[in-house]
Amino acid sequence: MALGLAVLLGAGTLLVTSTRAHAALVEAAEMDDSGRYAVDALARAVRLASYIDWEHAPLQDPAAPARIVGLDARSLTRTGAGITALAPDVANGSDVLAVRFRGSGAPPNGDGATLDCAGFPVHREEEGWSIFYVGRNAQGENELRCKYRGASNWSSDAVAGKVDSFQVLYGLDLDADGAPERYVNAGMVTALDAALVPAGATPEERSADLERGTHWKRVAAVRVALLLYGGHLDAGLGAGIVHDLFGADYGARFAAFDAGVRLSESVLAGRAGAYRVRKVVGTTVAVPVAPLATE
């Protein structure tokens, strides 16, 4: 009987260990799939910012709003218009990335070549929006969300779940050679615009001149990064881990000025000590500058 109990105990321990290992592999695979899908959705949306309808609108109005804009350490409401309706709850300094793009094909359904981040077609007589931000779902978990403009209102859908932080940098082409010279966050782009002195006798003229000269129209590349979380991790393994979303060098220099780019596991775990397996995923997407009507 004692020998049988020992064998049964050993088999049970082996079963529990193998079950936990299998669950960890499944969670890791889900985290990888979620990261790949999110990065792909972000890249496709950013590329559409430089879409040109060569047949019907080959040139861009110089006074038109910038195709790519963003906000640092902000979140949005699900149904508010654009990026103006801010939400108070921000997940670990997560950013907002907004992409505007021209549609293609005749109304009402277009030709299917230009889709917003929710997969709905945008025709050539309307402007499409794809806005990415981190919000909480009904279960209170953070997720990367896609916000878009529907036929009658704004809405948003989940792109990827279990997201701790979403960060964006913008590569500015300051010498008009088509390549970015420096990568900065949204706050720095706004600061550079604040130093501009727009010309014009009226507020409307000055606003139009600012739109022509805004640094948002010099964005030649967009770098995005996501911190995803998976299964639980032993406190002894996770206590000293630091997650740098744009690398250790950027985190060391700018973490104090760019919230969310460097996050420690001990802070993310909180008082409850919920240490987790986490992974950084990201990509850099080139954004060709569209020709202007004055060129």
Side-chain angles (χ1 to χ4, degrees):
M1 184 180 294
L3 181 61
L5 289 174
V7 171
L8 183 62
L9 179 61
T13 302
L14 181 61
L15 177 62
V16 171
T17 302
S18 62
T19 301
R20 288 178 177 174
H22 176 70
L25 289 174
V26 171
E27 289 177 338
E30 290 177 348
M31 189 163 52
D32 288 341
D33 291 343
S34 179
R36 281 193 295 268
Y37 180 79
V39 167
D40 182 63
L42 286 160
R44 283 188 281 109
V46 171
R47 291 189 186 102
L48 270 184
S50 56
Y51 169 73
I52 299 173
D53 186 349
W54 290 104
E55 182 179 358
H56 297 92
L59 298 178
Q60 180 180 332
D61 180 4
R67 296 295 182 87
I68 293 177
V69 295
L71 299 170
D72 282 334
R74 294 288 188 274
S75 186
L76 305 175
T77 62
R78 297 187 63 171
T79 58
I83 61 174
T84 59
L86 301 179
D89 189 12
V90 180
N92 301 310
S94 292
D95 297 339
V96 174
L97 171 63
V99 180
R100 303 155 68 112
F101 60 94
R102 294 179 181 273
S104 62
N109 297 320
D111 58 10
T114 52
L115 307 175
D116 61 27
C117 55
F120 294 109
V122 180
H123 61 75
R124 62 172 173 258
E125 295 182 9
E126 66 179 353
E127 183 179 58
W129 285 77
S130 292
I131 303 173
F132 297 91
Y133 69 99
V134 174
R136 293 188 183 275
N137 59 20
Q139 291 72 42
E141 296 179 334
N142 294 327
E143 60 186 11
L144 180 68
R145 303 193 65 84
C146 142
K147 188 173 184 179
Y148 57 94
R149 183 169 58 187
S152 58
N153 58 4
W154 291 81
S155 186
S156 66
D157 295 323
V159 176
K162 298 183 178 180
V163 175
D164 277 315
S165 184
F166 169 53
Q167 297 295 316
V168 188
L169 294 178
Y170 305 90
L172 297 183
D173 177 13
L174 302 175
D175 58 5
D177 64 351
E181 280 71 52
R182 59 185 297 199
Y183 282 89
V184 298
N185 61 10
M188 179 58 70
V189 180
T190 302
L192 291 170
D193 276 1
L196 298 175
V197 182
T202 65
E204 292 75 16
E205 291 177 350
R206 289 190 289 272
S207 177
D209 189 64
L210 181 59
E211 289 290 358
R212 283 189 287 267
T214 177
H215 287 79
W216 288 112
K217 290 185 177 178
R218 303 185 188 184
V219 174
V222 176
R223 182 176 294 172
V224 295
L226 291 159
L227 179 61
L228 309 175
Y229 66 89
H232 290 279
L233 187 66
D234 183 80
L237 298 175
I241 296 177
V242 175
H243 307 281
D244 287 305
L245 275 73
F246 292 122
D249 291 341
Y250 185 89
R253 293 185 60 187
F254 299 108
F257 311 101
D258 195 353
V261 299
R262 167 171 282 189
L263 297 168
S264 68
E265 184 64 29
S266 58
V267 171
L268 292 170
R271 294 182 178 179
Y275 294 93
R276 289 182 175 272
V277 176
R278 289 181 166 87
K279 182 176 183 178
V280 176
V281 297
T283 189
T284 301
V285 186
V287 185
V289 177
L292 301 178
T294 55
E295 294 182 348

